[in-house]
Amino acid sequence: MKVNTQHIIKGFLAVLLLVSTSCSTKKKTWVSRTFHNTTAKYNGYFNGKESIKAGVKKLHEGHKDDYTAILPVYPTGDLKKSKKTHSYMDKAIKKGSIVIQRHSIKIKGKEYCKWIDDNYLLVGKSYFYKGEFDEAIKTFSFIKNEYKKNEIRFEASLWLVRSLVEKRDFMTAEMELDELENDRKFPKNLETEKAIVAADFYLQQENYPLALENLGKLDELIKRKGKKVRYNYIMAQIYQQHDNYRSAKKKYEQVLKSNPEYEMVFNAKMNLARSLEVGSRDTYKMRQKLLKMTKDDKNKEYLDQIYYTLAEMDINNSDTLSAIDNYTLSTINSIVNESQKALSFLALAKIDYSRAIYKSSKVHYDSTLFYMEDDFREYGSAKEKHEILQDLVHHLDVINMQDSLQTLASLPAAELNAIINQIIQAEVEKEREALEAERTKQQMMYENNRNGGRGEQFGNNTSGGKWYFYNPATLSFGLSEFRKKWGKRKLEDDWRRKDKKTSNLFETDSIASDSVEVVTENKKDPNFYLDKLPKTEEDFANSNEMIKESTYQAGAIYKNGLQEYYKSSELFMSLLSRFPYDKNYAALAYYNVYTNHLEVGKEQEAEVMKNLLLHNFPNSVYAQLLTNPNFQEEWATKKNQNEVDYQLVYSSYLANEYEKVVLQTNELKEDEYRTKYTFLRALSFAGIKDTTNLIKNLNLVISFKDDDKIIAESEYLLSVIKNPEAMRKANEQALMESPYLYRSAKAHMTLLILPKNGVDINYLKTLISDYHAKDFENEVFEISAMMMGLGKHLLMIKTFANVEDVMLYNQLFNSNSTIINELEKADYKVLAISMENFKEFYKNKDVEGYYNFFKKNYLDNN
């Protein structure tokens, strides 16, 4: 058969012509629409959708639910903090954007490619899962307004509500949700998704009735048990939190019938046990089941929750001692579940608090706050109680310590030395026991190594893989050992340093050495204890002042913070028995005991304290409070007059009438304005250049010890008087309205500020080195890099003799296209900075402040 070459060529050209014309987005022919719809769907949209699916799957797999709190509707966690899925979402954004750019057939305002709106939605979802909610909101709003006749606008609106909720913009989210609820055209196939979005909206605002209403809709709308198990579990949690145990029990049982994952099954069973009503027949059976579960190896990582559940059942049955034992067992067996550990310590703290065992309660609150995240539901109330108890325990410890020191100081030398020797022996025994425990631990490790090798010791035979970081058992052990040594540490630079503020700013590209606190106190040296004892009359007077202050403060905390009026009165009475005529505290103590008696309905005892106060301190403020019904009003008027008098003197100072101010402040009253007047007097002596009296009055201000702000100013002025250069520098900084100083003749360096992400700092240093070798072969430059915070690189090129040299170099540097092309991949700044200004800049991480200073003083002047 003879092949007709001419026909083949014609056919090929026809196909080529057909393809080329179909690629056009300017025509709406059937061929063009079919080509672009097919390519948009099966190329860009399909691949982008699959990328989002894979990313969301990874997000869900990486999320760990905290069953100590009500579960969130969506198991995604904090999307702003999650970076694991960014590559998937970036791919989806790229695919969707390419489809929109290449396949949109928009002619006379009408879109003829039906997959363009889907790709916009794809891009919006990707931004949402990246945590870029502003971009997501823009995209979903665009879809909603651009495609008003398409069903996709409703889907975009639901995603818009989700984005607004994540941004905590609940008001706008509610308006969007109401709009959807009232839209009659809302499609039925999206009713389920709308109920989920609404449930999430109300749950995040803790509006539990409306959250339950929408979760209840889901129970009806979703037929498959496995698809609605999470929503049923959330409903059960809400019912349980509001003591609706019957409804909670029903929902937990519904969850168990749905065959969820083991962790949810386990927590549902625990919550079922806690939901049993007091006196229920099932209580004993459930307790036996729980005790049996503690012996099952499968439940080892859940022991903390089992013991917590047993403790909760004990509380329901008013068995506090058993509850304490079980809560304690829960804390001991909690290794990686910090939320549960925090709740167990919190329960112990509350028990001790209710029994007025405040020192023990404070210790348990310490542990609670250590393990509890600051956004946890009970963090605020726990922190508030902890602060009260911390102050109380501090003051009680001061009283006990000072009493003990005074008692020891009054003992004969032989008896005192015997007691100190006993303390030292106890310290030695404590060290011996710690050393013995360490030896036992080392011996056990040695035996483990002999019997099973190092791998078995670290749990390599357990599930999870042989490599250390793939094995949950070894990770748990490592975390436990780390915390024993270092405690709970944040993930941050220089985590071992005691003081993170201080570091050598110019030692870069190297690891800073640890800052270790040197402890010089030897607790086995008798002098360690003898040095703490009061010896002179002044020592005893200072000790007594500490006792008075702490006794008063502890009494006030018992009264105002804890409403423990009897204990408060006990402390105030102890203050009166020891210091009955103290001018600062005695009258105040009488008054507090009087008001305490009134609080508990002891009018007779209150009258006795009132009479004692009036007899012993008739002229005190507190006596006048009880005898003069107009006293508070008169006192306020007097205070106002004192303020008026002070303002008159202050206005004389502002008018530069310094000698007049000195005369007005010759005689000062012992009142709350004494410090202010003395400070004005000191400043007036400065105005008339009387340095001797200036220094004298500044020292007098410091000695008053009753206004920290004025004292700080006085101390600063005294330091400036001793160092006039500091004064000149301060004046110059004030004139320039900046902490930086322009010194053109000082040594400078070129400073590059770059983001950490998107910049290969080592490659950039290589480029600059090559540039120097080529264009500055006779010059020697030092190039170094360092981090500023977690997000920025600093690259320094030094040293230049003055401003002219550094600015000339910067001009040449900015003209090098190879370096600038690399820099333009990110947001960068090239500055000049003096060594002196660099210290101030780095200390405050002040990019914007220094950049403004640089523009004003370097760019505008050159």
Side-chain angles (χ1 to χ4, degrees), residues 569-788:
S569 294
E570 190 180 318
L571 275 167
F572 286 127
M573 289 304 294
S574 73
L575 196 154
L576 286 168
S577 67
R578 291 184 67 170
F579 312 102
Y581 303 109
D582 186 86
K583 63 178 182 178
N584 294 320
Y585 293 99
L588 187 54
Y590 277 121
Y591 183 78
N592 275 284
V593 177
Y594 163 77
T595 55
N596 282 342
H597 285 322
L598 289 180
E599 286 286 351
V600 296
K602 290 189 171 184
E603 283 80 8
Q604 274 189 310
E605 287 86 343
E607 193 63 27
V608 170
M609 297 312 296
K610 175 182 175 181
N611 291 332
L612 285 170
L613 172 59
L614 296 176
H615 178 267
N616 293 327
F617 298 96
N619 299 320
S620 68
V621 170
Y622 308 102
Q624 293 180 61
L625 270 171
L626 298 179
T627 55
N628 182 358
N630 300 319
F631 176 74
Q632 284 184 309
E633 187 179 336
E634 292 171 5
W635 179 258
T637 304
K638 183 182 177 183
K639 285 196 75 172
N640 289 338
Q641 185 58 48
N642 288 342
E643 179 64 25
V644 169
D645 293 342
Y646 171 74
Q647 290 298 331
L648 288 171
V649 178
Y650 183 58
S651 62
S652 298
Y653 171 76
L654 292 177
N656 299 329
E657 298 172 345
Y658 302 126
E659 291 181 353
K660 183 178 179 181
V661 173
V662 170
L663 288 172
Q664 289 172 322
T665 56
N666 268 334
E667 294 182 12
L668 297 177
K669 297 177 183 177
E670 295 276 331
D671 60 15
E672 68 268 33
Y673 285 87
R674 176 184 61 172
T675 303
K676 289 182 177 181
Y677 280 125
T678 308
F679 188 61
L680 278 184
R681 184 175 174 83
L683 294 177
S684 298
F685 278 122
I688 58 176
K689 298 182 180 178
D690 185 344
T691 308
T692 303
N693 278 312
L694 164 62
I695 294 170
K696 179 182 174 183
N697 279 275
L698 289 175
N699 284 319
L700 194 58
V701 167
I702 294 167
S703 72
F704 290 154
K705 297 180 181 179
D706 56 5
D707 191 318
D708 293 340
K709 192 174 179 181
I710 295 178
I711 288 170
E713 288 290 329
S714 300
E715 288 172 343
Y716 171 74
L717 287 172
L718 285 171
S719 68
V720 165
I721 292 167
K722 294 174 185 175
N723 182 7
E725 179 58 31
M727 173 67 90
R728 282 193 290 273
K729 182 178 177 181
N731 288 338
E732 191 174 346
Q733 287 172 330
L735 287 170
M736 297 193 74
E737 297 180 346
S738 169
Y740 307 109
L741 299 174
Y742 182 75
R743 299 280 192 265
S744 60
K746 292 281 186 180
H748 277 67
M749 63 178 167
T750 292
L751 178 67
L752 278 72
I753 305 173
L754 309 148
K756 181 183 177 183
N757 296 325
V759 174
D760 187 340
I761 199 72
N762 292 319
Y763 176 61
L764 186 59
K765 285 168 69 176
T766 303
L767 288 180
I768 296 171
S769 295
D770 292 344
Y771 166 61
H772 288 166
K774 182 181 175 184
D775 289 18
F776 298 92
E777 58 183 341
N778 296 323
E779 300 285 342
V780 178
F781 293 103
E782 180 187 340
I783 307 171
S784 56
M786 65 193 298
M787 289 295 298
M788 185 171 76

